[in-house]
Amino acid sequence: MKKIAFIGECMIELNGKPFSEMWQSYGGDTLNSATYLSRISSSNDIQVHYVSALGSDTLSEQMRMHWQADGVNTDWVLKDEKHQPGLYLIQLDEQGERTFLYWRNQSAAHYMVQHPDFSKVLSDLEQVDMIYLSGISLAILPKNDRTFLVDQLIKLAQKGVQVAFDSNFRPKLWDSLKDAQDCYMQLLPYVSLALVTFDDEQLLWNDEDEKDTLTRLHQIGIPKVVVKCGRNGAIFSDSQTFQYGQVVPKPISNVVDTTSAGDSFNAGFLNGYLRNKPLKICCQQGNCVAGIVIQHKGAIIDKHAISHLQSEFN
């Protein structure tokens, strides 16, 4: 069995028209990926853990129960008696593209590294095969906590734990572009698998095209790189085995909500990756999951919409 731990934040989601019809759910980039990976994987083969913090309020307890019902292990989701989950509002245009408003600066996850039990979580992480996090996982933390977490991840990587990273760059969460670049550059040399989106990489590093992104990340020392390109699918490259290619998905005519497109792609990819499937197959799985998810509203869609993938992938 492979064990993977996702680090990050999940927030309460409000989706709909302001001061009109609106429904409540939850979501967050790493939690979305953890949920979809758990749903499409056999628990006998892949064990999914989540590392975060929630409050002691009713909404926090309900979220925890929903994650558990999806098969996500919540032993490392710390309880913060002083803070509650963050909140975000999604607004969609006619093409399914979204804009966000956030209320997260005082969330429990913002303070998770300061939690008295976080040191035990770090110790337990030595037993997992892979740790997955994103640029958002780092950006939401106070600067000193962010530096501490990166230092701990480097130590875990040096002990043999694989680190997977999605840059998921959100400029508004950082004090400056340089602040984000400096933080990423501390971690990237210790990353085993990069799952990045070209638009983010272009914003961060001014890459001219996807090949620039592949070359730059390989030169930093990351052996396996996947660059997500929206409708054009994903480009994959392994500098050790010389696997290289592009996997383009079938066109989707009924795009409803792209909120979790990249997150769900990562879940499908990791399902294959943790089973040592070729990168091409992993990308095909990623495209398959994302193609279903974007045809539904919300970050976390009804589990029955992708339940058939567990037997197809495993």
Side-chain angles (χ1 to χ4, degrees), residues 15 23 90-98 252-259 291-298 301:
N15 200 323
W23 61 96
I90 297 179
Q91 298 176 77
L92 298 173
D93 64 19
E94 293 179 355
Q95 286 73 45
E97 293 299 328
R98 71 275 194 223
I252 304 295
S253 59
N254 183 36
V255 176
V256 174
D257 186 348
T258 59
T259 300
I292 295 171
V293 169
I294 63 176
Q295 297 180 66
H296 299 78
K297 287 184 178 180
I301 68 172

Side-chain angles (χ1 to χ4, degrees), residues 216-232:
R216 177 176 49 76
L217 292 175
H218 280 323
Q219 288 177 343
I220 289 171
I222 303 173
K224 297 177 178 64
V225 178
V226 176
V227 182
K228 291 168 283 185
C229 310
R231 294 183 181 86
N232 295 321

Side-chain angles (χ1 to χ4, degrees), residues 9-15 23-36 39 70 88 90 92 98 100 257-265 289-290 292-294 296-302 306:
E9 175 184 35
C10 183
M11 294 173 287
I12 300 162
E13 174 188 301
L14 298 178
N15 200 323
W23 61 96
Q24 174 189 295
S25 184
Y26 58 85
D29 63 337
T30 56
L31 188 280
N32 301 340
S33 296
T35 297
Y36 289 125
R39 287 181 177 181
D70 278 319
Y88 69 100
I90 297 179
L92 298 173
R98 71 275 194 223
F100 297 90
D257 186 348
T258 59
T259 300
S260 284
D263 307 333
S264 54
F265 173 94
V289 180
I292 295 171
V293 169
I294 63 176
H296 299 78
K297 287 184 178 180
I300 305 290
I301 68 172
D302 188 290
I306 59 169

Side-chain angles (χ1 to χ4, degrees), residues 143-213:
K143 192 164 187 177
N144 288 342
D145 293 358
R146 186 188 307 152
T147 300
F148 174 80
L149 178 59
V150 169
D151 288 343
Q152 297 306 307
L153 290 169
I154 290 171
K155 290 178 181 178
L156 288 164
Q158 291 171 333
K159 292 180 179 179
V161 178
Q162 292 190 66
V163 175
F165 184 67
D166 183 343
S167 57
N168 224 355
F169 177 55
R170 300 293 179 266
K172 290 182 180 179
L173 294 179
W174 295 91
D175 291 337
S176 67
L177 176 64
K178 185 178 185 303
D179 199 32
Q181 290 174 333
D182 290 346
C183 179
Y184 284 25
M185 283 305 299
Q186 291 172 26
L187 179 63
L188 286 174
Y190 301 91
V191 168
S192 304
L193 169 66
L195 291 162
V196 302
T197 300
F198 176 66
D199 289 346
D200 293 339
E201 297 300 292
Q202 193 172 45
L203 273 175
L204 263 168
W205 309 104
N206 201 31
D207 292 345
E208 290 190 9
D209 55 34
E210 293 85 351
K211 289 186 178 180
D212 275 357
T213 300

